[in-house]
Amino acid sequence: MRKIDSYAHILPKAYFDRMAAIAKDKGAIKRWLTIPVLYDLDARLEMMEGFPGYQQVLTLSNPPIEMIAGPEDSPELARLANDEMATIRDAHPDKFPAFVASLPMNNVPAALAEMERAITQLGARGIQVFTNVNGRPLDDPEYWPLFEAACETYDVPVWMHPARGAGMADYSSETKSKFEIWWTFGWPYETSAAMARMVFSRFFDRLPDLKVITHHMGAMIPYFDGRIGPGLDQFGSRTSDEDYEGLLARMPHRPIDYFKRFYVDTALAGGKSGIRCGLDFFDAKQVLFATDCPFDPEGGPMFLRTIPQAIDELDLPQDVQDGIYFGNALRLLKLKCC
Protein backbone atom coordinates (compact mmCIF):
# COMPACT_ATOMS: atom_id res chain seq x y z
CA MET A 1 0.00 0.00 0.00
CA ARG A 2 1.12 3.53 -0.75
CA LYS A 3 2.08 5.42 2.39
CA ILE A 4 2.77 9.16 2.37
CA ASP A 5 4.66 10.20 5.48
CA SER A 6 3.38 13.73 5.98
CA TYR A 7 5.80 14.68 8.74
CA ALA A 8 9.27 13.34 7.91
CA HIS A 9 12.21 15.44 9.07
CA ILE A 10 15.37 16.29 7.20
CA LEU A 11 18.41 18.51 7.46
CA PRO A 12 19.80 18.75 3.91
CA LYS A 13 23.60 18.46 3.98
CA ALA A 14 24.34 21.99 2.79
CA TYR A 15 21.88 23.41 5.29
CA PHE A 16 23.14 21.13 8.06
CA ASP A 17 26.73 22.26 7.52
CA ARG A 18 25.73 25.92 7.51
CA MET A 19 23.55 25.49 10.59
CA ALA A 20 26.33 23.74 12.50
CA ALA A 21 28.76 26.48 11.57
CA ILE A 22 26.66 29.37 12.85
CA ALA A 23 24.83 27.74 15.78
CA LYS A 24 25.89 29.44 18.99
CA ASP A 25 24.63 26.60 21.17
CA LYS A 26 26.37 23.46 19.90
CA GLY A 27 24.49 21.45 22.50
CA ALA A 28 21.25 22.20 20.65
CA ILE A 29 22.41 20.05 17.73
CA LYS A 30 24.08 17.26 19.74
CA ARG A 31 21.56 14.57 18.91
CA TRP A 32 21.41 15.52 15.23
CA LEU A 33 25.07 14.58 14.80
CA THR A 34 24.29 10.96 15.68
CA ILE A 35 21.50 10.37 13.12
CA PRO A 36 23.02 10.05 9.63
CA VAL A 37 19.62 9.54 7.94
CA LEU A 38 18.79 13.09 8.96
CA TYR A 39 21.46 14.71 6.76
CA ASP A 40 22.89 11.89 4.60
CA LEU A 41 20.55 11.55 1.62
CA ASP A 42 22.14 8.32 0.40
CA ALA A 43 21.55 6.73 3.81
CA ARG A 44 17.94 7.89 3.75
CA LEU A 45 17.30 6.53 0.27
CA GLU A 46 18.86 3.20 1.20
CA MET A 47 16.62 2.98 4.27
CA MET A 48 13.50 3.83 2.28
CA GLU A 49 14.19 1.07 -0.25
CA GLY A 50 13.24 -1.41 2.46
CA PHE A 51 9.68 -0.04 2.53
CA PRO A 52 7.96 -0.37 -0.87
CA GLY A 53 5.33 2.25 -1.58
CA TYR A 54 6.65 4.53 1.18
CA GLN A 55 7.12 8.26 0.41
CA GLN A 56 8.03 11.30 2.49
CA VAL A 57 6.84 14.89 2.61
CA LEU A 58 10.00 16.68 3.67
CA THR A 59 9.93 19.10 6.59
CA LEU A 60 12.96 20.81 8.06
CA SER A 61 13.97 19.33 11.38
CA ASN A 62 14.18 21.06 14.72
CA PRO A 63 15.76 23.40 15.87
CA PRO A 64 13.80 26.36 14.49
CA ILE A 65 15.72 28.60 12.13
CA GLU A 66 14.99 31.63 14.31
CA MET A 67 16.64 29.90 17.26
CA ILE A 68 19.84 29.39 15.29
CA ALA A 69 20.18 32.73 13.51
CA GLY A 70 19.24 36.33 14.19
CA PRO A 71 16.84 38.26 11.95
CA GLU A 72 19.67 39.37 9.67
CA ASP A 73 20.90 35.84 8.93
CA SER A 74 17.74 33.73 9.22
CA PRO A 75 16.33 34.66 5.77
CA GLU A 76 19.41 33.31 4.00
CA LEU A 77 19.25 30.13 6.08
CA ALA A 78 15.58 29.62 5.19
CA ARG A 79 16.29 30.11 1.49
CA LEU A 80 19.08 27.54 1.66
CA ALA A 81 16.83 25.00 3.40
CA ASN A 82 14.00 25.44 0.91
CA ASP A 83 16.28 25.35 -2.12
CA GLU A 84 17.87 22.13 -0.88
CA MET A 85 14.55 20.42 -0.12
CA ALA A 86 13.23 21.40 -3.56
CA THR A 87 16.35 19.96 -5.16
CA ILE A 88 15.91 16.66 -3.30
CA ARG A 89 12.25 16.48 -4.33
CA ASP A 90 13.09 17.12 -7.97
CA ALA A 91 15.87 14.53 -8.00
CA HIS A 92 13.73 11.81 -6.37
CA PRO A 93 10.03 12.55 -6.99
CA ASP A 94 9.10 8.91 -6.46
CA LYS A 95 10.42 9.09 -2.90
CA PHE A 96 9.70 12.72 -2.02
CA PRO A 97 6.55 14.01 -3.71
CA ALA A 98 6.51 17.28 -1.75
CA PHE A 99 8.28 19.51 0.73
CA VAL A 100 7.14 22.10 3.24
CA ALA A 101 8.69 25.56 3.30
CA SER A 102 10.56 26.82 6.34
CA LEU A 103 10.43 30.50 7.23
CA PRO A 104 12.60 33.00 9.14
CA MET A 105 9.93 33.73 11.73
CA ASN A 106 12.04 36.32 13.54
CA ASN A 107 11.88 38.48 10.40
CA VAL A 108 8.25 38.63 9.28
CA PRO A 109 8.76 40.72 6.10
CA ALA A 110 11.43 38.27 4.97
CA ALA A 111 9.20 35.35 5.98
CA LEU A 112 6.40 36.65 3.77
CA ALA A 113 8.81 37.07 0.87
CA GLU A 114 10.23 33.59 1.36
CA MET A 115 6.76 32.09 1.59
CA GLU A 116 5.90 33.57 -1.79
CA ARG A 117 9.16 32.38 -3.36
CA ALA A 118 9.00 28.89 -1.88
CA ILE A 119 5.38 28.31 -2.89
CA THR A 120 5.15 30.05 -6.26
CA GLN A 121 8.67 29.34 -7.56
CA LEU A 122 9.80 26.18 -5.76
CA GLY A 123 6.40 24.52 -5.43
CA ALA A 124 6.30 24.07 -1.65
CA ARG A 125 3.00 22.54 -0.54
CA GLY A 126 2.74 24.49 2.71
CA ILE A 127 4.68 26.19 5.46
CA GLN A 128 6.05 24.98 8.76
CA VAL A 129 5.94 27.01 11.97
CA PHE A 130 6.86 26.10 15.52
CA THR A 131 4.55 26.52 18.50
CA ASN A 132 6.36 29.67 19.56
CA VAL A 133 8.88 32.05 18.06
CA ASN A 134 11.70 32.28 20.56
CA GLY A 135 9.13 32.39 23.33
CA ARG A 136 6.54 34.57 21.59
CA PRO A 137 3.09 33.05 20.91
CA LEU A 138 1.84 32.44 17.39
CA ASP A 139 -1.25 34.57 18.02
CA ASP A 140 0.95 37.63 18.45
CA PRO A 141 -0.47 40.08 15.87
CA GLU A 142 2.93 40.34 14.18
CA TYR A 143 2.56 36.80 12.82
CA TRP A 144 -1.02 37.12 11.62
CA PRO A 145 -0.07 38.08 8.02
CA LEU A 146 1.71 34.73 7.65
CA PHE A 147 -1.38 32.70 8.51
CA GLU A 148 -3.55 35.00 6.44
CA ALA A 149 -1.30 34.58 3.40
CA ALA A 150 -1.04 30.80 3.81
CA CYS A 151 -4.82 30.51 3.90
CA GLU A 152 -6.18 33.22 1.63
CA THR A 153 -3.36 33.94 -0.82
CA TYR A 154 -1.83 30.50 -1.35
CA ASP A 155 -4.40 28.07 0.12
CA VAL A 156 -1.77 25.81 1.67
CA PRO A 157 -1.70 24.04 5.03
CA VAL A 158 0.41 25.10 8.00
CA TRP A 159 2.49 22.39 9.69
CA MET A 160 2.94 23.17 13.40
CA HIS A 161 5.80 21.57 15.35
CA PRO A 162 6.36 21.85 19.11
CA ALA A 163 9.30 23.93 20.35
CA ARG A 164 10.34 23.73 23.97
CA GLY A 165 13.73 23.10 25.53
CA ALA A 166 15.21 22.22 28.88
CA GLY A 167 15.58 25.92 29.64
CA MET A 168 11.82 26.13 30.29
CA ALA A 169 11.66 24.85 33.87
CA ASP A 170 8.84 22.72 35.25
CA TYR A 171 8.97 24.46 38.63
CA SER A 172 9.47 28.14 39.40
CA SER A 173 12.13 27.29 41.99
CA GLU A 174 14.34 25.67 39.33
CA THR A 175 16.18 26.95 36.27
CA LYS A 176 15.74 23.97 33.95
CA SER A 177 13.46 21.05 33.19
CA LYS A 178 14.94 17.80 34.46
CA PHE A 179 14.69 14.23 33.21
CA GLU A 180 13.70 15.41 29.69
CA ILE A 181 10.25 16.26 31.00
CA TRP A 182 10.42 19.28 28.68
CA TRP A 183 10.23 16.83 25.75
CA THR A 184 8.09 13.92 27.00
CA PHE A 185 5.32 16.05 28.46
CA GLY A 186 6.37 19.59 27.58
CA TRP A 187 5.99 19.15 23.83
CA PRO A 188 2.39 17.89 24.02
CA TYR A 189 1.55 20.73 26.39
CA GLU A 190 3.27 23.25 24.11
CA THR A 191 1.26 22.08 21.11
CA SER A 192 -2.00 22.07 23.06
CA ALA A 193 -1.35 25.57 24.39
CA ALA A 194 -0.65 26.89 20.88
CA MET A 195 -3.87 25.28 19.62
CA ALA A 196 -5.85 26.90 22.44
CA ARG A 197 -4.34 30.30 21.68
CA MET A 198 -5.43 29.93 18.06
CA VAL A 199 -8.95 28.90 19.06
CA PHE A 200 -9.55 31.74 21.50
CA SER A 201 -7.78 34.31 19.33
CA ARG A 202 -10.49 33.44 16.78
CA PHE A 203 -8.18 32.15 14.04
CA PHE A 204 -10.90 29.90 12.62
CA ASP A 205 -13.57 32.59 12.72
CA ARG A 206 -11.30 35.00 10.86
CA LEU A 207 -9.92 32.36 8.48
CA PRO A 208 -12.60 29.68 8.05
CA ASP A 209 -10.51 27.77 5.51
CA LEU A 210 -7.33 27.69 7.59
CA LYS A 211 -5.74 24.24 7.76
CA VAL A 212 -3.26 23.59 10.57
CA ILE A 213 -1.56 20.19 10.85
CA THR A 214 -0.61 19.52 14.45
CA HIS A 215 2.16 17.04 15.19
CA HIS A 216 1.65 13.97 17.40
CA MET A 217 -2.10 13.46 16.92
CA GLY A 218 -3.17 16.80 18.32
CA ALA A 219 -1.09 16.33 21.48
CA MET A 220 -3.24 16.47 24.65
CA ILE A 221 -6.46 17.52 22.97
CA PRO A 222 -8.14 14.15 22.21
CA TYR A 223 -7.46 12.79 25.69
CA PHE A 224 -8.98 15.86 27.37
CA ASP A 225 -12.18 15.95 25.33
CA GLY A 226 -14.25 16.37 28.51
CA ARG A 227 -12.26 19.34 29.77
CA ILE A 228 -12.31 20.89 26.30
CA GLY A 229 -16.04 20.17 25.89
CA PRO A 230 -18.15 20.68 29.04
CA GLY A 231 -15.13 22.16 30.81
CA LEU A 232 -14.59 24.99 28.34
CA ASP A 233 -18.33 25.50 27.97
CA GLN A 234 -17.78 27.23 31.33
CA PHE A 235 -14.96 29.36 29.89
CA GLY A 236 -14.49 32.52 31.94
CA SER A 237 -16.09 31.27 35.14
CA ARG A 238 -12.64 30.79 36.69
CA THR A 239 -11.22 34.19 35.69
CA SER A 240 -11.94 37.59 37.21
CA ASP A 241 -9.45 39.89 35.50
CA GLU A 242 -10.41 39.12 31.87
CA ASP A 243 -13.81 39.11 30.14
CA TYR A 244 -13.55 35.53 28.94
CA GLU A 245 -17.26 34.93 29.41
CA GLY A 246 -17.91 37.78 26.99
CA LEU A 247 -15.44 36.23 24.56
CA LEU A 248 -17.21 32.87 24.83
CA ALA A 249 -20.56 34.54 24.11
CA ARG A 250 -19.13 36.13 20.95
CA MET A 251 -17.80 32.83 19.58
CA PRO A 252 -20.28 31.29 17.10
CA HIS A 253 -19.36 27.73 18.09
CA ARG A 254 -18.42 25.78 21.19
CA PRO A 255 -14.67 25.74 21.94
CA ILE A 256 -14.51 21.98 21.35
CA ASP A 257 -15.85 22.44 17.83
CA TYR A 258 -12.91 24.69 16.97
CA PHE A 259 -10.39 22.18 18.34
CA LYS A 260 -11.90 19.55 16.06
CA ARG A 261 -10.93 21.65 13.03
CA PHE A 262 -7.23 20.96 13.39
CA TYR A 263 -5.54 18.30 11.29
CA VAL A 264 -3.36 15.75 13.07
CA ASP A 265 -0.81 13.05 12.31
CA THR A 266 -0.05 9.55 13.56
CA ALA A 267 3.48 10.29 14.81
CA LEU A 268 3.01 8.78 18.27
CA ALA A 269 6.10 6.55 18.35
CA GLY A 270 4.04 3.48 17.54
CA GLY A 271 1.46 3.83 20.33
CA LYS A 272 -1.82 2.25 19.24
CA SER A 273 -4.07 3.59 22.02
CA GLY A 274 -3.09 7.19 21.24
CA ILE A 275 -4.03 6.77 17.58
CA ARG A 276 -7.36 5.23 18.56
CA CYS A 277 -8.02 8.14 20.93
CA GLY A 278 -7.19 10.64 18.20
CA LEU A 279 -9.51 8.93 15.73
CA ASP A 280 -12.30 9.03 18.32
CA PHE A 281 -11.92 12.81 18.56
CA PHE A 282 -10.96 14.00 15.09
CA ASP A 283 -12.67 13.24 11.80
CA ALA A 284 -10.65 10.47 10.13
CA LYS A 285 -10.38 12.67 7.03
CA GLN A 286 -8.22 15.02 9.09
CA VAL A 287 -5.71 12.35 10.13
CA LEU A 288 -2.47 12.00 8.16
CA PHE A 289 0.04 9.19 8.32
CA ALA A 290 3.37 10.36 9.75
CA THR A 291 6.30 8.72 11.49
CA ASP A 292 8.57 11.50 12.82
CA CYS A 293 11.35 9.83 10.83
CA PRO A 294 14.22 9.53 11.69
CA PHE A 295 13.75 10.18 15.42
CA ASP A 296 13.44 6.65 16.75
CA PRO A 297 15.81 4.37 18.68
CA GLU A 298 17.10 2.88 15.42
CA GLY A 299 17.76 6.22 13.74
CA GLY A 300 15.12 5.97 11.04
CA PRO A 301 13.42 2.66 10.22
CA MET A 302 11.74 1.67 13.50
CA PHE A 303 8.68 3.93 13.37
CA LEU A 304 8.28 3.11 9.66
CA ARG A 305 7.44 -0.41 10.90
CA THR A 306 5.72 0.16 14.22
CA ILE A 307 3.34 2.99 13.34
CA PRO A 308 1.77 1.14 10.37
CA GLN A 309 1.54 -1.93 12.60
CA ALA A 310 -0.38 0.13 15.19
CA ILE A 311 -2.71 1.53 12.52
CA ASP A 312 -3.33 -1.88 10.94
CA GLU A 313 -4.15 -3.45 14.31
CA LEU A 314 -7.04 -1.01 14.74
CA ASP A 315 -8.94 -2.90 11.99
CA LEU A 316 -10.20 0.30 10.40
CA PRO A 317 -12.50 0.23 7.37
CA GLN A 318 -10.44 0.11 4.18
CA ASP A 319 -11.51 3.56 3.01
CA VAL A 320 -10.53 5.08 6.36
CA GLN A 321 -7.17 3.32 6.32
CA ASP A 322 -6.53 4.41 2.73
CA GLY A 323 -7.35 7.98 3.68
CA ILE A 324 -4.92 7.99 6.59
CA TYR A 325 -2.10 6.37 4.65
CA PHE A 326 -2.30 8.48 1.50
CA GLY A 327 -5.73 9.81 0.47
CA ASN A 328 -5.99 12.65 2.98
CA ALA A 329 -2.50 13.85 2.14
CA LEU A 330 -3.20 13.76 -1.59
CA ARG A 331 -6.28 15.94 -1.07
CA LEU A 332 -4.78 18.34 1.44
CA LEU A 333 -1.50 18.85 -0.40
CA LYS A 334 -3.13 18.77 -3.85
CA LEU A 335 -0.86 16.00 -5.04
CA LYS A 336 -1.38 13.70 -7.99
CA CYS A 337 -2.90 10.36 -7.09
CA CYS A 338 -0.28 8.39 -9.03
Side-chain angles (χ1 to χ4, degrees):
M1 177 184 288
R2 184 180 189 181
K3 296 179 177 67
I4 300 177
D5 189 339
S6 294
Y7 226 131
H9 301 294
I10 194 169
L11 291 173
K13 188 62 167 61
Y15 173 87
F16 181 79
D17 291 343
R18 178 64 178 152
M19 178 190 76
I22 68 174
K24 296 179 180 179
D25 181 7
K26 302 302 181 184
I29 61 173
K30 174 185 176 182
R31 187 185 181 197
W32 283 245
L33 299 170
T34 66
I35 309 175
V37 168
L38 195 55
Y39 54 84
D40 184 334
L41 183 60
D42 289 337
R44 178 173 294 239
L45 290 169
E46 182 179 356
M47 177 197 71
M48 293 176 69
E49 284 299 323
F51 299 89
Y54 173 72
Q55 300 175 304
Q56 293 184 339
V57 176
L58 296 175
T59 64
L60 196 68
S61 175
N62 212 9
I65 289 174
E66 58 270 13
M67 192 180 88
I68 300 167
E72 299 82 13
D73 298 322
S74 59
E76 179 271 332
L77 205 56
R79 286 193 295 270
L80 177 60
N82 294 329
D83 286 343
E84 290 297 307
M85 286 191 287
T87 298
I88 293 170
R89 176 207 57 196
D90 292 345
H92 305 278
D94 58 323
K95 299 295 186 186
F96 311 109
F99 81 96
V100 181
S102 289
L103 304 177
M105 293 291 289
N106 54 355
N107 186 331
V108 172
L112 287 166
E114 181 59 16
M115 185 193 306
E116 178 183 22
R117 187 187 79 93
I119 293 172
T120 64
Q121 297 182 31
L122 301 181
R125 297 292 174 161
I127 63 169
Q128 177 175 241
V129 301
F130 287 78
T131 49
N132 67 77
V133 182
N134 291 336
R136 295 176 63 186
L138 291 176
D139 63 336
D140 186 307
E142 182 177 358
Y143 308 123
W144 177 254
L146 296 167
F147 292 95
E148 188 174 43
C151 179
E152 296 192 337
T153 303
Y154 305 112
D155 188 26
V156 297
V158 178
W159 277 250
M160 187 168 72
H161 193 285
R164 186 185 181 106
M168 188 173 290
D170 305 306
Y171 296 93
S172 59
S173 63
E174 298 179 342
T175 59
K176 63 174 290 186
S177 174
K178 294 185 176 183
F179 311 118
E180 298 187 353
I181 292 171
W182 60 269
W183 178 84
T184 310
F185 302 109
W187 274 20
Y189 170 79
E190 181 73 25
T191 299
S192 303
M195 293 166 72
R197 294 288 292 248
M198 288 183 173
V199 166
F200 290 109
S201 292
R202 311 283 299 277
F203 271 49
F204 294 110
D205 288 333
R206 300 160 70 187
L207 295 173
D209 296 324
L210 179 66
K211 301 174 183 66
V212 180
I213 304 170
T214 59
H215 213 7
H216 311 131
M217 193 57 88
M220 298 164 60
I221 303 305
Y223 182 77
F224 290 107
D225 59 343
R227 298 180 73 85
I228 294 165
L232 284 181
D233 287 341
Q234 305 168 68
F235 183 59
S237 63
R238 312 165 190 87
T239 304
S240 60
D241 60 343
E242 299 275 0
D243 183 21
Y244 290 155
E245 290 175 304
L247 172 57
L248 180 63
R250 293 191 298 273
M251 296 173 70
H253 309 286
R254 295 176 66 201
I256 192 172
D257 293 330
Y258 292 101
F259 281 99
K260 287 179 177 287
R261 294 180 63 173
F262 288 95
Y263 287 74
V264 300
D265 69 32
T266 64
L268 287 174
K272 181 171 67 173
S273 60
I275 296 176
R276 175 76 272 172
C277 183
L279 285 168
D280 285 343
F281 185 86
F282 294 100
D283 188 317
K285 293 181 180 179
Q286 292 166 233
V287 179
L288 306 175
F289 171 66
T291 67
D292 230 352
C293 178
F295 294 111
D296 64 54
E298 297 176 5
M302 179 177 172
F303 292 161
L304 275 61
R305 298 191 310 271
T306 60
I307 292 177
Q309 180 180 354
I311 295 171
D312 294 347
E313 288 178 357
L314 293 174
D315 292 325
L316 301 171
Q318 190 64 49
D319 62 327
V320 172
Q321 189 178 88
D322 290 350
I324 292 171
Y325 275 134
F326 63 91
N328 298 338
L330 291 176
R331 183 185 71 254
L332 189 62
L333 277 63
K334 302 174 186 173
L335 296 172
K336 294 181 180 179
C337 64
C338 303

